Amino acid sequence: MANGRKGFWRMFESIVAVSILMVFVLSLSIQYVREPAEPIMKIRGYEILENMDKNDKLRGYVMAGDSDGINSAIVIGGYNHSIEICDYSGTCNGTYPDAENIWLSVYYVAGENTYDPREVKLYIW
Amino acid sequence: MKRKRMKGQFFLIIAFMLIILFYIGISVYLSPPGISETLSNDIDFIINNIENEYPVAFNLGINESDGPGRVINFTIFARNLLKERNIELYSMIFFTESTGSNVNVTVANFLEEPEYVSVGISGDDRILYVQNGSVNSTIFTDPADIFTLDIIFNSIQKNLLLGKYKSNLYFYTELKKGYDIIVGERKT
């Protein structure tokens, strides 16, 4: 009888030990399998456009309406991307992606040699 | 009498303490960077973009003899497009331009409400009533070559040191997306 009770407690202890270990392992693994959050890619898009403008690699393309030129200058590993350039009247030149889960970052340009405002849209998917 | 030694419980307690210590150490050292709310907020970039483009629009407009007009046009352009993304842009914009020896001060209001704006040079203070989406202006007679423009609107007070024979731009902007609001201002 005493041995049976001892065995019960030993079993109970091992179950508790395994449970503690499982909680520990699961809580660690959850942190590492989480998908990158959507806001990160959106922010990445803004950073790309901002840096291109700072390096004088954006405005010329924008004013020429050269969406392909801007798109070729962008490299985002693991993702597709496309550019649209829209003028004041809302007319856009470029490629709107045919995809689900698209992240959009926008950048505004007032002009280069003359005032001619444009909106640059960077789509990432 | 044989003393019973509680081996199993002892090991369990020690194992539990080691797991806790290990977990604390590894989670602090190896955890991926947390995603803060500020990282997910794109309006930081947008307001920076707008603030950088206002002077561009102003300078291009000056070349076309309409500095204030181009800034106002750009504000309307950006506001309309941002509204499609549920982002609200609010601005109060001040321009000074010399007209001979005098200085013309123009105020453009995009704060969504009509505003009483105080503008003054050397104690000559005037109140301009500016409707939302509209402009109002006043002329100061022969101020000093370097003068201080005192402005008050909405509980904001500024004293701007400006050159008389230079076109000047000062703007206050607010960008609002949901519950996030970011405020900026710049003089150029």
Side-chain angles (χ1 to χ4, degrees), chain A:
Chain A
M1 199 68 171
N3 284 338
R5 203 178 298 169
K6 200 189 287 184
F8 167 77
W9 284 113
R10 290 278 158 88
M11 200 181 325
F12 179 73
E13 284 166 10
S14 63
I15 290 170
V16 169
V18 168
S19 303
I20 290 168
L21 280 169
M22 286 304 297
V23 165
F24 163 64
V25 168
L26 280 172
S27 61
L28 268 188
S29 63
I30 282 169
Q31 290 183 48
Y32 290 97
V33 302
R34 190 169 57 192
E35 290 293 321
E38 170 181 332
I40 291 182
M41 289 316 299
K42 194 189 250 293
I43 298 302
R44 184 103 179 265
Y46 282 110
E47 287 172 343
I48 287 169
L49 293 173
E50 189 181 62
N51 285 333
M52 284 185 73
D53 195 25
K54 279 182 185 169
N55 295 324
D56 291 327
K57 287 184 179 0
L58 180 69
R59 203 163 292 253
Y61 284 125
V62 173
M63 303 321 297
D66 188 0
S67 56
D68 290 334
I70 299 174
N71 204 39
S72 303
I74 294 172
V75 177
I76 307 173
Y79 294 90
N80 296 309
H81 52 86
S82 69
I83 291 284
E84 267 192 324
I85 302 170
C86 304
D87 64 15
Y88 193 87
S89 66
T91 304
C92 297
N93 170 35
T95 306
Y96 183 85
D98 180 18
E100 295 178 2
N101 300 325
I102 304 168
W103 295 295
L104 168 63
S105 307
V106 296
Y107 196 82
Y108 300 103
V109 172
E112 192 175 30
N113 300 311
T114 54
Y115 175 75
D116 186 5
R118 305 282 174 99
E119 180 188 35
V120 183
K121 298 179 185 177
L122 168 58
Y123 301 102
I124 302 172
W125 69 96

Side-chain angles (χ1 to χ4, degrees), chain B residues 2 5-6 14 18 48 59 86 95 108 119 131 158 165 172 185 187:
Chain B
K2 223 178 179 175
R5 300 175 71 181
M6 297 171 65
I14 295 296
L18 284 173
N48 213 41
N59 288 328
N86 298 317
F95 312 90
V119 294
Q131 294 273 14
K158 288 285 165 188
Y165 296 107
Y172 167 89
E185 59 173 320
K187 182 188 88 171

Side-chain angles (χ1 to χ4, degrees), chain B residues 142-173:
Chain B
D142 198 18
D145 289 355
I146 303 290
F147 65 92
T148 300
L149 178 67
D150 304 315
I151 58 177
I152 303 174
F153 65 96
N154 243 9
S155 77
I156 293 166
Q157 187 170 345
K158 288 285 165 188
N159 310 106
L160 307 170
L161 193 64
L162 304 171
K164 178 176 171 179
Y165 296 107
K166 177 182 169 292
S167 296
N168 299 289
L169 168 70
Y170 167 80
F171 55 88
Y172 167 89
T173 51

